[in-house]
């Protein structure tokens, strides 16, 4: 068994390890390859349009994470074609195993990108052109393999024209039309051949050579060589296969509904999760991922130990249906708390409407499990992951709960990421992300940004002011953008642009979005008027940052529009991301 995934950069540890193995295979399998070209592969992935091609790397890995094959392709979105640069497999193409799966993956990717076809080079299978018996056998095997997909050499051009007089065994240009009946036109091929020669081979091909090859393309439509190896209809890839690569892994809190507080005015209800999930399943390609279970010790990487221990003891001593609300707060003597745990709740809480009960502990711990599972998906190479959780977490500080929040899911994920690179947290809930600010206020390895209603009128009232910029090593790494009570989508996007500029300057390896839909029109806890189209645009802008994104669900309580807004946001996010 093996899996194929796209490697987006050489920044994340998992990607860096895979890229190093791919580079090693390239140097060992392709003796003529330029070592400088191999070493610059990471830069090509990070900066996709530097050479006017978008480089994409797909790696096949065994269950033990060994790289057993890869495909390196170049994509030109303007000319709408894909060029397969390298495809290597330890098992060989002809076996139809790893090599076959990789090539089908490339074909499916090309279809998803709207490409007219896949182009690549292959050494000739003609003994008069290729004198080396071993190379000749390999060329025949490759072209036999590719014919199964309808891919054949383009004939009637001088693409095989020698660059130097003594050049031999010049490659064919092979074309795979991706199962369509549309014919390749002369004008299109001229542009594509020019792009390949001028960009990929700019150091080898002088301008007069390029012009001669391009001018030799005269047949319209372009003609492909007749089938030489197969007598049957070419195989057809299953279109559904390509969707698996662009799915959004969603880790859902499967225990969220045990936390159902039925007291009047408690809007953080279980119906929120299915409303979001149902709409995502209709409009997006998602894959539900089962959460892993993490030890409660992980909570203490962000929260104070006495706070975690108190919540565990207090919640587990309460009955199944018993809730305790804080009502005594230690403004005079917090050094000598009362013995009764229920009365002590106010020593760890910032409000009077977030209850303690047995289900709160269980549901909050499971929300952490989901968030850290999603974080691990990002570290393993996924471009996007979504922790669809409740209760939310962004109001939970190091030693305080409140605002329906018990453990700071977002901060725990940021802490996990921080050991592998710089992290940016973008909180776009209506209310200030005081929890992340509290946890990382004196740190520069995690940039915290929050767009929210001004604390003059919006919960939690005591934090979120613009002059709270961080302290000590963290000074300048906390950005609060408090916004007015009345705000529409146009006004919001201006503030979002400011936040995104700061993130671009910071250049994080990981981006976490604390996602709240309480910015929506008619949300019972907010005062703004964002609609689905605004969430789409905001998602698209965030996706356009070019970094991996972990989305963690926070607020959003108008259940009538919650699902539509979520679907719009993720549609925009997917459109903005460079898959």
């Amino acid at each position: 068994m093996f899996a194929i995934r796209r490697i987006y950069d050489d920044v994340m540890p998992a990607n860096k390890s895979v890229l190093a193995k791919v580079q090693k295979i390239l140097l060992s399998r392709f003796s003529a390859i330029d070592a400088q070209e191999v070493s610059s592969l990471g830069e090509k992935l990070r900066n996709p349009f530097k050479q006017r091609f978008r480089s994409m790397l797909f790696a096949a890995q065994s269950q033990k994470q060994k790289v057993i094959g890869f495909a390196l392709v170049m994509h030109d979105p303007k000319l709408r074609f894909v060029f397969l640069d390298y495809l290597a497999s330890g098992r060989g193409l002809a076996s139809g195993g790893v090599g076959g799966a990789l090539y089908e993956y490339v074909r499916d990717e090309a279809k998803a990108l709207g490409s007219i076809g896949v182009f690549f080079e292959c050494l000739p299978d003609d003994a008069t052109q290729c004198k080396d018996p071993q190379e000749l056998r390999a060329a025949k095997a490759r072209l036999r393999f590719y014919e199964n997909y309808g891919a054949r050499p383009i004939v009637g051009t001088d693409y095989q024209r020698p660059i130097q007089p003594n050049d031999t065994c010049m490659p064919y240009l092979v074309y795979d039309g991706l199962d369509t009946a549309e014919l390749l036109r002369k004008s299109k091929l001229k542009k594509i051949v020019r792009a390949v020669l001028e960009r990929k081979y700019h150091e080898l091909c002088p301008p007069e050579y390029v012009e001669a090859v391009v001018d030799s393309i005269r047949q319209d439509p372009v003609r492909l060589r007749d089938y030489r190896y197969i007598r049957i209809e070419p195989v057809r890839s299953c279109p559904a296969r390509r969707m698996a690569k662009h799915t959004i892994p969603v880790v859902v809190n499967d225990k969220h509904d045990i936390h159902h507080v039925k007291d009047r005015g408690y809007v953080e209800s279980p119906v929120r999760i299915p409303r979001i999930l149902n709409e995502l399943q209709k409009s997006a390609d998602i894959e539900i991922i089962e959460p892993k279970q993490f030890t409660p010790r992980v909570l203490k990487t962000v929260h104070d130990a006495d706070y975690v221990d108190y919540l565990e003891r207090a919640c587990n001593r309460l009955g199944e249906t018993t809730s305790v609300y804080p009502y005594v707060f230690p403004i005079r003597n917090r050094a000598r708390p009362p013995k009764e745990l229920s009365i002590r709740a106010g020593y760890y809480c910032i409000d009077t409407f977030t209850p303690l009960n047995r289900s709160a502990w269980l549901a909050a711990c499971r929300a952490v499990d989901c968030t850290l599972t999603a974080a691990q998906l990002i570290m393993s190479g996924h471009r996007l992951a979504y922790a669809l959780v409740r209760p939310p977490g962004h109001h939970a500080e190091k030693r305080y709960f409140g605002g329906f929040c018990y453990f700071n899911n977002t901060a725990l994920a940021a802490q996990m990421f921080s050991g592998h690179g710089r992290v940016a947290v973008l909180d776009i809930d209506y209310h200030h992300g005081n929890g992340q600010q509290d946890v990382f206020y004196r740190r520069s390895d995690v940039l915290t940004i929050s767009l929210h209603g001004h604390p003059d009128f919006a919960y939690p009232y005591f934090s979120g002011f613009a002059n709270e910029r961080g302290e000590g090593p963290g000074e300048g790494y906390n950005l609060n953008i408090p916004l007015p009570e009345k705000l529409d989508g146009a006004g919001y996007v201006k503030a979002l642009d400011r936040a995104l500029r700061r993130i671009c300057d910071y250049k994080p390896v990981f981006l976490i979005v604390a996602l709240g839909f309480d910015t929506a029109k008619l949300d019972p806890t907010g005062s703004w008027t964002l609609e689905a189209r605004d969430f789409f645009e905001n998602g698209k802008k965030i996706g356009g940052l070019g970094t991996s994104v972990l989305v963690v669900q926070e607020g959003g309580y108008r259940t009538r529009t919650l699902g539509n807004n979520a679907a719009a946001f993720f549609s925009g996010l997917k459109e903005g991301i460079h898959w």
Side-chain angles (χ1 to χ4, degrees), residues 60-74:
Q61 291 180 273
S62 67
Q63 289 181 320
K64 295 183 178 180
Q65 301 302 302
K66 179 182 178 182
V67 177
I68 56 177
F70 69 89
L72 178 63
V73 305
M74 300 185 300

Side-chain angles (χ1 to χ4, degrees), residues 255-272 318-325 352-361 363 390-392 401 403-406:
K255 296 182 179 179
H256 78 91
D257 53 353
I258 65 174
H259 183 56
H260 189 184
V261 180
K262 299 180 180 180
D263 296 342
R264 185 176 181 180
Y266 197 89
V267 294
E268 207 287 288
S269 62
V271 72
R272 299 174 61 236
L318 293 169
E320 295 288 343
T321 59
T322 304
S323 290
V324 169
Y325 288 87
T352 60
F353 57 80
T354 304
L356 292 182
N357 51 54
R358 185 176 299 180
S359 67
W361 167 265
R390 59 171 295 272
F401 68 96
F404 312 137
C405 303
Y406 302 92

Side-chain angles (χ1 to χ4, degrees), residues 396-400 433-442 478:
E397 299 184 350
K398 291 179 183 178
R399 58 178 294 111
Y400 296 103
N434 58 291
Q436 296 92 252
Q437 174 173 304
D438 176 65
V439 171
F440 300 111
Y441 204 59
R442 295 184 58 84
N478 183 77

Side-chain angles (χ1 to χ4, degrees), residues 77-210:
K78 192 171 183 180
L79 292 177
R80 294 177 50 240
F81 78 96
V82 164
F83 188 90
L84 175 59
D85 209 357
Y86 293 98
L87 194 155
S89 163
R91 301 179 186 179
L93 283 176
S95 69
V98 177
L102 279 165
Y103 186 62
E104 290 198 22
Y105 200 98
V106 169
R107 297 182 89 238
D108 293 342
E109 183 71 24
K111 291 177 182 179
L113 293 169
S115 299
I116 63 166
V118 176
F119 295 80
F120 53 92
E121 294 178 336
C122 191
L123 292 180
D125 54 353
D126 187 334
T128 63
Q129 300 178 56
C130 192
K131 305 296 185 182
D132 186 313
Q134 186 174 348
E135 287 186 349
L136 184 63
R137 285 194 300 271
K140 288 181 177 181
R142 289 191 188 99
L143 288 165
R144 181 183 298 110
F145 166 81
Y146 288 121
E147 273 195 10
N148 282 285
Y149 297 94
R152 289 164 288 154
I154 295 172
V155 297
T157 78
D158 282 349
Y159 193 85
Q160 288 186 276
R161 182 190 184 100
I163 301 174
Q164 302 296 333
N166 59 344
D167 287 342
T168 59
C169 206
M170 296 294 286
Y172 297 143
L173 180 63
V174 184
Y175 172 64
D176 180 348
L178 302 175
D179 307 329
T180 67
E182 184 178 351
L183 298 175
L184 179 61
R185 310 307 302 197
K186 174 182 71 172
S187 58
K188 191 71 170 181
L189 183 60
K190 281 177 174 280
K191 294 177 182 178
I192 290 171
V193 167
R194 183 182 296 279
V196 171
L197 296 181
E198 289 183 345
R199 300 179 204 173
K200 178 174 170 58
Y201 297 113
H202 63 94
E203 294 180 353
L204 295 175
C205 299
E208 58 272 18
Y209 176 88
V210 175

